[in-house]
Amino acid sequence: MVTTAVAAFAGAVPPPRKAKAVTAATTPPPTLTRRQLLAAVATASILRTAAASAAAPRFAEIPGSGGVKALDLRDGSGEIPVVGDQVAIHYYGRLAAKQGWRFDSTYDHKDDTGDPMPFVFTLGSGKVIPGMEAAVKSMRVGGLRRVIIPPSQGYQNTSQEPIPPNFFDRQRLFTTIFNPTRLANGEGSTLGTLIFDIELINIRQHS
């Protein structure tokens, strides 16, 4: 009987030991002062602004352009035109004063086969707005550039090219830029700001 009891005890699984309860000390979160809160908010705001600035595209002013700013969307690998060259470009023109309204695009000008027709002009001829000339003559063939053209380098009269072929687009463009009432109110510095996406297709001839 004693042998049986020992055998039973040896084979028995000992009961688990009760763990001692450990009381963890809880530390209350630190209380920030008003000055610390304001500093934290200001730091977060600065970091958000810096991140947004880093992500935003950066325009650079073209030297000697009178304030034209450019952002190269695609670098070209071809020749750079010079004054006297005839160049062919595609463009997409918008008017800043009309919330970026598109007033013209050469991609909509189609030839008999349905292909878009580029706009052709001679650099230095004085027939196109100065801002477009400044943008094109520092590009390489194959390049694509977005430019912001201030009023002083944009349309000074209704005969300067490029001129929208659509009558209603042309009328809306020029009545906005040359609106006498708004010009008299001192809005001339903003009315004629233009945004162009310009693609230099080729240089058709040299002088």
Side-chain angles (χ1 to χ4, degrees):
M1 188 174 179
V2 174
T3 306
T4 305
V6 170
F9 181 80
V13 178
R17 299 176 62 184
K18 292 184 178 180
K20 293 183 179 179
V22 179
T23 303
T26 56
T27 304
T31 302
L32 298 178
T33 65
R34 178 179 174 80
R35 178 176 294 180
Q36 289 172 323
L37 285 171
L38 290 174
V41 170
T43 301
S45 177
I46 291 170
L47 290 174
R48 284 195 301 269
T49 302
S53 298
R58 296 187 177 183
F59 286 80
E61 185 170 330
I62 301 173
S65 66
V68 178
K69 295 180 179 178
L71 172 67
D72 286 316
L73 304 176
R74 183 182 67 226
D75 291 328
S77 57
E79 294 180 89
I80 299 175
V82 296
V83 172
D85 284 346
Q86 190 179 65
V87 296
I89 66 170
H90 276 304
Y91 65 77
Y92 186 97
R94 290 173 287 162
L95 185 62
K98 290 288 186 180
Q99 293 77 48
W101 165 63
R102 181 193 65 79
F103 61 85
D104 193 19
S105 172
T106 55
Y107 298 103
D108 295 335
H109 307 169
K110 304 299 176 73
D111 60 18
D112 294 337
T113 64
D115 291 329
M117 295 189 302
F119 173 60
V120 180
F121 69 97
T122 301
L123 278 178
S125 65
K127 293 182 178 180
V128 304
I129 55 177
M132 179 171 281
E133 284 217 359
V136 171
K137 67 183 180 183
S138 56
M139 293 177 68
R140 288 186 178 273
V141 171
L144 177 63
R145 170 175 284 183
R146 178 166 296 164
V147 292
I148 301 173
I149 301 176
S152 62
Q153 303 303 311
Y155 292 102
Q156 304 303 307
N157 57 66
T158 58
S159 63
Q160 283 181 298
E161 298 180 340
I163 299 175
N166 181 280
F167 171 78
F168 297 103
D169 289 340
R170 186 166 64 248
Q171 185 179 48
R172 185 182 182 189
L173 173 66
F174 291 140
T175 54
T176 300
I177 293 176
F178 302 117
N179 184 303
T181 302
R182 297 182 68 180
L183 288 173
N185 290 336
E187 297 180 56
S189 60
T190 58
L191 288 179
T193 300
L194 308 169
I195 305 167
F196 274 97
D197 287 357
I198 301 173
E199 181 180 12
L200 181 54
I201 304 300
N202 58 52
I203 299 172
R204 296 200 167 183
Q205 68 181 36
H206 297 277
S207 58

